[in-house]
């Protein structure tokens, strides 16, 4: 089992390009099942993307890398099911449900795996698809999905703007009969990217500013070429790496607009930002100040996936920070591991209180989930000595070559 050895190594500096967004690429890969093949640029090479490719291969599509472009060849399979071992590889495997229903009008799958962020039900996915004519039957841990009459458009009001449910409805609706309207849909940039891909393939998806998505079902989708948006959470993570070391970096190939909810927090912590059209430069102070209150919300609010990286900064900032997590129930699993490095964190339900300390010390820690793992790497950059980070498979789900990228900016991370 590989692990990172991180040696605290002073201020980071340099220019770091940001790779394509995992959370945009995965639903787009599910959508590619519906096209006559596609050419996907800026697709990140991550274990979760590999897992999506394995599902596509199982469903008869070919997948081939050409540098950072993923070529997907159309295919067909008589087996409209996803085996349990592929479903467990990642939580987002559930987004294949909408695509399979659109293509085969049936599907069989088991309940998905992924990050352990508390209960992650799929009731909103199922109740929405039911309105579109889908029937579900659960047998053991298997879910049998069928469309007895026709897959048709529907008017759907989501009680919560679930990202995954919005994506599944969009996928099913793109080849359903008639029109679908989703109200209170998720508005994350990754949703707009899925809409962009479906439209590039000949679909008809319209997103309104108030969180309404309108989809007109079409007969079929064609071959298309598309470029995935940059990963906003990866960009924020790189900025955090520089900020904790008192460094100065520029992230490029990025979309600053997608990260704007996090910029005021960096500024409150004493960082100076310079924001261009596709790049962000950050100059950190010698010691960060605490950001008083960080509250996660659906987009365009502060993203839940940025909570753990910012928490790592608050551990060494001057003062006390209060985090309120409103999206997932169990987002503080990394807190125990961070405390092993000398952090002072108290959690109670959705709240975490972090009192900044002057120094962190090296420890042997393990990743509990993807963003929690990133927080461990950020914190380890300022420990005086070598921190060992295990279970790095969590980090590799969402960060492409993180050690090599950070070493390029002056970090000292080895993989063994
Ligand atoms: C996606 C992202 C994840 C991000 C999250 C919120 C991907 C692959 N993952 O996850 O990185 O943190 O959005 O921005 O894109 N819920 C229900 N019932 C449902 C669906 C969701 O109760 O049917 C609840 C969940 O338990 C959770 C909340 O809604 O508490 C948010 O879930 P959702 O927006 O669906 O997130 P994901 O799509 O799982």
């Amino acid at each position: 089992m590989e692990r990172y050895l991180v040696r605290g190594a002073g201020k980071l500096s340099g220019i770091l390009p940001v790779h394509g967004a995992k959370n945009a690429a995965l639903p787009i890969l599910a959508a590619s099942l519906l096209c006559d093949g596609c050419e996907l640029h800026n697709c990140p090479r991550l274990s979760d993307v590999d897992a999506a490719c394995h599902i596509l291969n199982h469903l008869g599509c070919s997948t081939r890398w050409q540098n950072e472009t993923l070529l997907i060849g159309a295919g067909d399979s008589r087996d409209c099911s996803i085996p349990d071992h592929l479903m467990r590889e990642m939580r987002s495997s559930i987004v294949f449900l909408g695509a399979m229903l659109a293509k085969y009008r049936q599907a069989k799958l088991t309940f998905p795996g992924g990050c352990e962020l508390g209960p992650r039900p799929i009731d909103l996915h199922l109740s929405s698809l039911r309105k579109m004519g889908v029937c579900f039957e659960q047998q053991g841990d298997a879910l049998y999905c069928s469309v007895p009459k026709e897959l048709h458009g529907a008017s759907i009001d989501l009680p919560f703007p679930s990202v995954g449910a919005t994506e599944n409805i969009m996928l099913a609706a793109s080849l359903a009969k008639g029109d679908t309207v989703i109200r209170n849909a998720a508005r994350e940039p990754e949703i707009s990217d899925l809409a962009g891909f479906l439209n590039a393939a000949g679909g008809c998806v319209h997103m309104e500013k108030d969180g309404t998505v309108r989809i007109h079902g079409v007969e079929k989708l064609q071959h298309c070429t598309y470029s995935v948006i940059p990963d906003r959470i990866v960009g924020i993570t790189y900025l955090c790496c520089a900020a904790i070391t008192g460094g100065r970096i520029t992230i490029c190939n990025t979309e600053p607009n997608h990260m704007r909810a996090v910029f005021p927090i960096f500024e409150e912590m004493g960082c100076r930002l310079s924001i261009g059209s596709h790049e962000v430069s950050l100059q950190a102070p010698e010691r960060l100040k605490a950001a008083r209150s960080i509250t996660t919300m659906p987009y365009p609010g502060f993203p839940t996936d940025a909570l753990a990286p910012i928490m790592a900064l608050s551990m060494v900032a001057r003062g006390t920070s209060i985090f309120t997590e409103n999206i997932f129930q169990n987002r503080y699993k990394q807190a125990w591991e961070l405390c092993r490095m000398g952090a002072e964190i108290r959690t109670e339900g959705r709240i975490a209180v972090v009192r900044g300390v002057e120094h962190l010390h090296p420890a042997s820690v393990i990743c509990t989930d993807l963003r929690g793992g990133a927080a461990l790497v950020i914190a380890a950059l300022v420990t005086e000595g070598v921190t060992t980070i295990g279970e790095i498979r969590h980090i590799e789900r969402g960060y492409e070559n993180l050690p090599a990228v950070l070493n390029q900016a002056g970090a000292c991370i080895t993989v063994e």
Side-chain angles (χ1 to χ4, degrees):
M1 195 73 79
E2 285 191 330
R3 53 196 191 146
Y4 293 164
L5 302 187
V6 187
R7 182 182 294 278
K11 299 181 180 186
L12 296 199
S13 67
I15 301 175
L16 302 183
V18 176
H19 61 68
K22 167 179 86 73
N23 289 354
L26 297 176
I28 287 175
L29 288 174
S32 74
L33 188 64
L34 308 178
C35 305
D36 193 13
C38 72
E39 195 176 311
L40 205 53
H41 296 281
N42 201 35
C43 188
R45 294 191 83 149
L46 301 166
S47 56
D48 266 13
V49 169
D50 287 341
C53 288
H54 294 152
I55 294 176
L56 283 171
N57 297 152
H58 176 80
L59 295 172
C61 301
S62 64
T63 51
R64 185 164 61 85
W65 285 97
Q66 220 171 49
N67 302 319
E68 270 152 36
T69 298
L70 183 58
L71 305 174
I72 298 158
D76 232 329
S77 157
R78 260 174 285 144
D79 178 9
C80 316
S81 69
I82 303 180
D84 188 50
H85 71 276
L86 293 179
M87 283 303 289
R88 283 177 186 278
E89 275 190 41
M90 62 166 182
R91 156 89 188 169
S92 324
S93 44
I94 192 66
V95 86
F96 276 86
L97 174 59
M100 286 168 80
L101 287 168
K103 181 160 178 171
Y104 305 116
R105 299 322 204 222
Q106 57 174 312
K108 183 201 149 204
L109 32 79
T110 53
F111 287 94
C115 270
E116 297 293 330
L117 301 176
R120 292 182 82 164
I122 53 168
D123 55 314
L124 301 177
H125 302 234
L126 304 191
S127 58
S128 306
L129 292 167
R130 230 177 243 124
K131 287 193 171 163
M132 301 177 70
V134 183
C135 287
F136 298 100
E137 196 191 328
Q138 194 178 339
Q139 281 179 22
D141 65 347
L143 188 64
Y144 290 82
C145 320
S146 59
V147 180
K149 290 189 182 142
E150 67 173 6
L151 187 68
H152 53 76
S155 175
I156 297 165
D157 280 276
L158 286 175
F160 179 86
S162 156
V163 170
T166 302
E167 291 166 348
N168 256 330
I169 303 165
M170 286 166 69
L171 288 165
S174 60
L175 292 187
K177 189 162 191 289
D179 294 316
T180 298
V181 181
I182 317 172
R183 292 195 181 77
N184 196 28
R187 289 187 271 168
E188 271 68 4
E190 294 76 20
I191 300 284
S192 311
D193 214 30
L194 175 61
F197 177 85
L198 290 168
N199 288 339
C204 186
V205 183
H206 182 68
M207 291 184 65
E208 291 167 15
K209 283 211 172 74
D210 66 352
T212 303
V213 183
R214 295 179 194 277
I215 306 122
H216 174 68
V218 296
E219 284 286 313
K220 60 184 179 107
L221 297 178
Q222 300 123 23
H223 182 278
C224 73
T225 299
Y226 196 75
S227 187
V228 176
I229 53 168
D231 197 308
R232 59 198 168 108
I233 307 299
V234 168
I236 292 165
T237 303
Y238 293 169
L239 293 175
C240 288
C241 289
I244 201 165
T245 64
R248 176 191 197 134
I249 63 158
T250 296
I251 55 168
C252 61
N253 296 356
T254 189
E255 187 50 74
N257 211 24
H258 295 165
M259 300 187 274
R260 64 183 187 276
V262 180
F263 294 154
I265 301 293
F266 282 118
E267 284 167 340
E268 193 184 342
M269 297 184 103
C271 299
R272 281 214 319 267
L273 294 175
S274 161
I275 297 161
S277 49
H278 295 291
E279 58 183 36
V280 179
S281 299
L282 177 144
Q283 161 81 67
E286 280 304 318
R287 186 168 181 203
L288 295 163
K289 289 182 284 187
R292 294 281 160 85
S293 163
I294 297 105
T295 302
T296 65
M297 299 289 271
Y299 193 84
F302 184 96
T304 174
D305 288 350
L307 183 144
I310 295 287
M311 181 179 271
L313 300 189
S314 68
M315 284 162 38
V316 289
R318 186 178 285 116
T320 299
S321 308
I322 298 175
F323 292 82
T324 308
E325 164 60 26
N326 287 313
I327 311 295
F328 291 107
Q329 279 185 28
N330 197 3
R331 192 105 224 197
Y332 297 131
K333 283 176 83 177
Q334 77 280 359
W336 279 113
E337 299 299 314
L338 293 167
C339 287
R340 284 169 170 253
M341 300 164 84
E344 288 191 18
I345 306 173
R346 277 185 297 126
T347 62
E348 176 80 48
R350 292 180 178 273
I351 309 288
V353 180
V354 183
R355 198 175 75 82
V357 295
E358 282 204 38
H359 300 287
L360 296 175
H361 51 75
S364 180
V365 292
I366 54 164
C367 302
T368 51
D369 62 78
L370 168 57
R371 306 304 169 188
L376 294 175
V377 173
I378 295 165
L381 291 171
V382 290
T383 56
E384 287 158 9
V386 179
T387 293
T388 309
I389 304 178
E391 298 285 348
I392 55 169
R393 65 192 163 86
H394 288 292
I395 296 180
E396 291 171 349
R397 288 185 40 232
Y399 295 90
E400 211 180 85
N401 298 329
L402 188 62
V405 171
L406 297 180
N407 288 347
Q408 197 189 311
C412 183
I413 307 176
T414 50
V415 185
E416 72 167 27

